[in-house]
């Protein structure tokens, strides 16, 4: 018998983290049966389909089309619609990535069905349980058989929760696998030029955390960005959560707002930015690999390695500190090297572990 896997994705960062794992499963375990499920948590073309196209991910075998909702409604819908798919596909292993609601919902369904779980990007902790992602991480990790981590601090976080030993594997960063795989394409994209911007001559902004964009802090952010835009062009591709909130605000026309941009263009924009202002987890990592200064508008980060390398600066959840960005660029030094195992081969290491699953072993006599 050969390994039957069922991978679940749902939101923008999932597609980037899972693409290399899916490709490697098909390459390294060709006699396996590898099924992809899309929960439908993200559904706009620029939040979903474009990633499948640009990363060469085959269309999902099952689309649950759950759409948006409160946390409990969305989680419950995914669980309700995934359970029959699991019954039909009978996988030996369910694979999830990251920390979105689709990750936690899929882990719960698999655990209840007694199917082992592999969690890609395990062990990250902000130690702030008001973040929905922190709950999703803790639950997915507690339930997983294979915990694939991308930085050393994650091993300590898991150990503090009693998760140790051969369940935990330091494989590296699959999001960076995706970046490296498309590097020649995004380097040639010149996305900044297409928008009338010069390489090295703009601040790229991306913000979508509820703590920042769902309340009054967003008004202060927009005011501060207007001030920056008098000195350095500001380009802000707007996440749909943030777009809803911006509709009721007056935005300084000096700030260039766009729809979310495709993956290749967004990597190109990051690589050529003077600096990036964000609250995204993935963007903290990509700027670290690219050696671009990143300013994070949050009180915590679950990715301390990005601070240690020197690219990421935690501003706090305090928009007034946006004023510190331009002066801080003066002394910026590019890091000597990316964090350990952010080298394009994380998926290969992870799948090598999965290939040892009992179901994938040749039956006796074969
Ligand atoms: C989700 C994840 C977050 C992740 C982010 C990546 C959870 C709890 N949150 O946040 O961890 O960092 O994705 O981008 O899982 N919407 C659209 N079109 C879409 C998708 C969403 O218009 O294609 C709008 C809807 O109004 C929706 C809102 O955005 O209510 C929020 O979407 P949701 O997936 O619930 O959370 P995100 O803020 O995207
Ligand atoms: N991204 C993109 N277009 C955008 C903004 C982000 O392609 O307009 C990519 C980014 O390069 C990274 C991923 O989306 O690969 C990060 O997703 P997001 O910030 O939505 O989620 P988080 O990482 O915070 O969970």
């Amino acid at each position: 018998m050969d390994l039957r896997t069922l991978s679940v994705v749902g939101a923008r960062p999932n597609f980037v983290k899972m693409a290399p794992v899916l490709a490697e499963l098909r390459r390294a375990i060709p006699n396996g049966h590898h099924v992809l499920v899309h929960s439908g948590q993200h559904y706009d073309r620029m939040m979903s389909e474009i990633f499948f196209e640009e990363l060469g991910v085959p269309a999902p075998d099952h689309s649950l089309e759950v759409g948006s909702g409160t946390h409990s409604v969305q989680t419950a819908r995914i669980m309700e619609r995934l359970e029959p798919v699991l019954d039909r596909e009978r996988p030996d292993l369910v694979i999830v990535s990251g920390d979105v609601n689709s990750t936690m919902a899929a882990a719960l369904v698999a655990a209840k069905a007694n199917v082992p779980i592999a969690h890609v990007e395990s062990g990250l902790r902000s130690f702030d349980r008001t973040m929905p992602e922190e709950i999703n991480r803790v639950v997915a990790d507690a339930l997983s058989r294979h915990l694939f981590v991308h930085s050393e601090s994650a091993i300590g976080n898991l150990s503090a929760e009693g998760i140790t030993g051969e369940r935990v594997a330091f494989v590296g960063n699959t999001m960076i696998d995706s970046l490296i795989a498309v590097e020649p394409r995004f380097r040639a994209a010149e996305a900044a030029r297409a928008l009338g911007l010069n390489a090295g001559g703009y601040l790229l902004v991306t913000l979508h955390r509820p703590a920042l964009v769902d309340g009054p802090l967003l008004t202060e952010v927009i005011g501060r960005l207007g001030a920056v835009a008098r000195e350095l062009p500001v380009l802000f591709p707007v996440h749909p959560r943030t777009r809803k909130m911006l509709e009721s605000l007056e935005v300084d026309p000096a700030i260039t707002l766009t729809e979310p941009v495709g993956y290749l263009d967004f990597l190109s924009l990051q690589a050529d930015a003077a600096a990036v202002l964000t609250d995204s987890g993935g963007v903290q990592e990509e700027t670290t690999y690219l050696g671009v200064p990143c300013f994070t508008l949050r009180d915590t980060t679950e990715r301390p390695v990005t601070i240690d390398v020197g690219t990421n600066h935690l501003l706090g959840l305090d928009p007034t500190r946006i004023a510190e960005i331009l002066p801080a660029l003066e002394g910026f030094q590019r890091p000597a090297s990316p964090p350990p195992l952010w080298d394009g081969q994380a998926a290969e290491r992870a799948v090598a572990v999965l290939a040892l699953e009992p179901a994938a072993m040749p039956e006796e006599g074969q």
Side-chain angles (χ1 to χ4, degrees), residues 109-133:
V109 173
K112 293 279 183 185
N114 288 319
V115 179
I117 302 157
H119 184 202
V120 175
E121 194 198 83
S122 181
L124 300 188
R125 295 291 181 272
S126 64
F127 303 102
D128 173 3
R129 290 204 178 179
T130 66
M131 286 183 79
E133 294 80 8

Side-chain angles (χ1 to χ4, degrees), residues 4 92 116 120 177 179 185 190 197 213 227 239 286 318 321:
R4 295 174 68 86
D92 302 309
V120 175
D177 288 4
L179 182 157
R185 288 160 69 201
E190 298 196 345
L197 297 165
V213 307
H239 186 285
E286 289 167 346
D318 178 4
R321 295 192 58 195

Side-chain angles (χ1 to χ4, degrees), residues 181-200:
V182 300
E183 188 153 9
R185 288 160 69 201
F186 80 73
R187 294 278 180 201
E190 298 196 345
R193 193 142 68 136
L195 290 162
L197 297 165
N198 294 324

Side-chain angles (χ1 to χ4, degrees), residues 19-68:
V21 178
L22 296 166
E24 181 61 13
L25 282 170
R26 294 190 167 116
R27 191 196 68 81
I29 314 177
N31 298 329
H33 182 67
H34 305 297
V35 169
L36 178 61
V37 179
H38 188 332
S39 73
Q41 175 171 350
H42 285 174
Y43 43 85
D44 289 349
R45 179 177 148 67
M46 295 307 281
M47 296 297 289
S48 176
E49 204 181 327
I50 185 117
F51 291 86
F52 284 76
E53 289 168 11
E54 294 191 341
L55 287 161
V57 178
D61 303 285
H62 302 272
S63 294
L64 307 182
E65 296 180 357
V66 299
S68 306

Side-chain angles (χ1 to χ4, degrees), residues 187-320:
R187 294 278 180 201
E190 298 196 345
R193 193 142 68 136
L195 290 162
L197 297 165
N198 294 324
Y202 58 93
L203 175 71
L204 177 66
V205 180
T206 160
L207 302 168
H208 68 271
R209 298 275 161 214
L212 186 65
V213 307
D214 282 4
L217 289 177
L218 187 61
T219 313
E220 174 80 20
V221 167
I222 292 300
R224 295 279 165 180
L225 287 178
V228 172
R230 312 259 162 262
E231 293 182 57
L232 185 73
V234 173
L235 175 65
F236 187 172
V238 183
H239 186 285
R241 171 185 287 277
T242 314
R243 181 181 61 216
K244 275 204 302 195
M245 307 310 291
L246 280 181
E247 272 160 15
S248 55
L249 293 185
E250 214 167 289
V251 179
D252 190 324
I255 305 170
T256 304
L257 300 181
T258 71
E259 290 298 303
V261 296
Y263 178 57
L264 296 175
D265 280 350
F266 196 74
L267 288 175
S268 167
L269 289 170
Q270 285 184 82
D272 285 344
V276 178
L277 175 69
T278 196
D279 58 6
S280 156
V283 172
Q284 292 174 62
E285 295 181 359
E286 289 167 346
T287 47
T288 289
Y289 183 82
L290 294 167
V292 171
C294 176
F295 297 84
T296 299
L297 261 183
R298 287 178 43 188
D299 284 332
T300 57
T301 180
E302 56 289 322
R303 293 160 159 92
V305 71
T306 61
I307 310 264
D308 298 343
V309 166
T311 45
N312 192 12
H313 309 268
L314 212 51
L315 288 182
L317 192 54
D318 178 4
T320 64

Side-chain angles (χ1 to χ4, degrees), residues 63-101:
S63 294
L64 307 182
E65 296 180 357
V66 299
S68 306
T70 64
H71 288 278
S72 295
V73 165
Q74 191 172 59
T75 304
R77 268 194 209 135
I78 298 169
M79 291 183 70
E80 206 172 10
R81 295 183 193 184
L82 183 59
E83 189 179 46
V85 174
L86 223 66
D87 281 349
R88 220 173 315 142
E89 296 288 356
R90 291 176 295 101
D92 302 309
L93 187 74
V94 165
I95 308 176
V96 297
S97 71
D99 54 16
V100 301
N101 285 346

